[in-house]
Amino acid sequence: MTGRVTVAAVQTRPVIGEVDVNLAAIAEAVTQAAERGATLVVLPELCTTGYVFASREEAAALAEEIPSGPSTRFLTGLSARLGVHLVAGIAEREGDLLYNSAVLLGPDGHLGTYRKVHLWDNENTIFEPGNLGLPVFDTAFGRLGMLICYDAWFPEAFQALALQGVDAVCLPTNWVPIPGQQPGKPAMALSLCQAAAHVNSIHVIAADRVGTEREQPFIGQSIIVGPTGWPLTEPAGSQDPETVLATADLTDGRRLRRWNTHNDPLANRRPEVYAPYGDRP
């Protein structure tokens, strides 16, 4: 492991359907992050296409195969040119099937793909649920996992990655206002990221988007959280594109996971107690 690295959550404002425009904005923002020392850069959910598709047909026209599609190849080249690892949300096509996906790219190419498991609202009419499980990928600076947006509302997803030894979860997201959210107050999503980081002793790098797309507002507040659950950065704002950066040793959670002589939340799990309750039918 290489020790401390600088990670960036890049908050963008995609334009629906304008892939070339979005890729140009991404390239500028990622280049600036790399110039500030970033080694791992996380981008929002569906950052190349926009999010609010009018129909499955519109999404299909913008989706691409991974890793051979044009957006993925562009981002792979960007990663290689800048010498960074990059996580980005992509609309993926596999045959007639569509997935809300995220790719992990490194200077040497495509390292892996994650397909969103928990679909939000109208995504259920456009995408298939992810079928690649919750993979973990080894890098020179730690073990990385990926989740996407609504996945963060499921503690089991973070825990499943932690039980596989993940050091950091990269979370491309498109957070929207939720009931009870007060203007000017931190989003509930920030609390979820902090809780997941804390109870699993992992880093969480959440990159959100901003702007309003087809009357749907997005709330920004991208954040990087350390393995104690405390943010390593102030959250980004809620209105404008912005990049937040933090320098950390992503493997610190392996040491910090043991809170004292007796307590390690992953080791202290009692699956035999939980098992009788099962899942709801």
Side-chain angles (χ1 to χ4, degrees), residues 137-221:
F137 305 95
D138 288 305
T139 72
F141 44 80
R143 307 194 76 205
L144 303 182
M146 295 178 280
L147 297 175
I148 300 175
C149 202
Y150 185 46
D151 288 327
W153 268 253
F154 296 84
E156 300 92 336
F158 283 106
Q159 187 176 80
L161 291 170
L163 290 170
Q164 296 180 74
V166 83
D167 295 307
V169 174
C170 302
L171 183 68
T173 188
N174 278 186
W175 290 328
V176 299
I178 62 173
Q181 186 168 310
Q182 299 180 19
K185 299 291 185 181
M188 178 64 71
L190 301 187
S191 297
L192 294 173
C193 289
Q194 287 187 247
H198 174 66
V199 300
N200 294 294
S201 297
I202 57 175
H203 291 78
V204 177
I205 308 158
D208 196 15
R209 64 161 290 174
V210 291
T212 298
E213 188 176 278
R214 292 177 173 166
E215 301 185 357
Q216 174 61 66
F218 298 91
I219 64 172
Q221 302 179 63

Side-chain angles (χ1 to χ4, degrees), residues 9-14 26 30 41-49 75 87-90 100-103 147-149 171-175 206-210 222 242:
V10 172
Q11 181 166 288
T12 65
R13 184 188 285 119
I26 287 167
V30 174
V41 180
V42 182
L43 291 158
E45 177 182 12
L46 297 174
C47 60
T48 65
T49 59
L75 295 173
V87 173
I90 300 282
N100 184 341
S101 297
V103 291
L147 297 175
I148 300 175
C149 202
L171 183 68
T173 188
N174 278 186
W175 290 328
D208 196 15
R209 64 161 290 174
V210 291
S222 302
E242 186 178 345

Side-chain angles (χ1 to χ4, degrees), residues 30 33-34 38-41 78-86 105-108:
V30 174
T39 300
L40 171 61
V41 180
L78 182 66
S79 178
R81 177 168 61 83
L82 297 175
V84 302
H85 283 70
L86 189 61
L105 310 171
D108 295 326

Side-chain angles (χ1 to χ4, degrees), residues 233-273:
T233 62
E234 290 296 320
S238 59
Q239 300 298 320
D240 298 311
E242 186 178 345
T243 296
V244 294
L245 296 97
T247 300
D249 184 336
L250 296 186
T251 66
D252 272 350
R254 304 180 191 184
R255 171 178 55 85
L256 296 171
R257 186 166 289 136
R258 189 163 187 83
W259 292 354
N260 55 48
T261 302
H262 301 288
N263 296 114
D264 170 340
L266 292 179
N268 294 155
R269 293 170 64 248
R270 297 284 306 281
E272 74 281 5
V273 176

Side-chain angles (χ1 to χ4, degrees), residues 156 275-281:
E156 300 92 336
Y277 301 97
D279 290 328
R280 291 183 298 171

Side-chain angles (χ1 to χ4, degrees), residues 78-136:
L78 182 66
S79 178
R81 177 168 61 83
L82 297 175
V84 302
H85 283 70
L86 189 61
V87 173
I90 300 282
E92 181 186 5
R93 181 177 63 250
E94 184 182 59
D96 294 330
L97 304 178
L98 302 180
Y99 297 97
N100 184 341
S101 297
V103 291
L104 171 61
L105 310 171
D108 295 326
H110 174 256
L111 300 179
T113 300
Y114 167 71
R115 292 170 174 168
K116 188 175 184 180
V117 171
H118 306 96
L119 301 179
W120 171 257
D121 199 17
N122 287 339
E123 289 178 45
N124 287 276
T125 68
I126 294 171
F127 298 110
E128 278 69 42
N131 60 356
L132 298 179
L134 298 167
V136 173

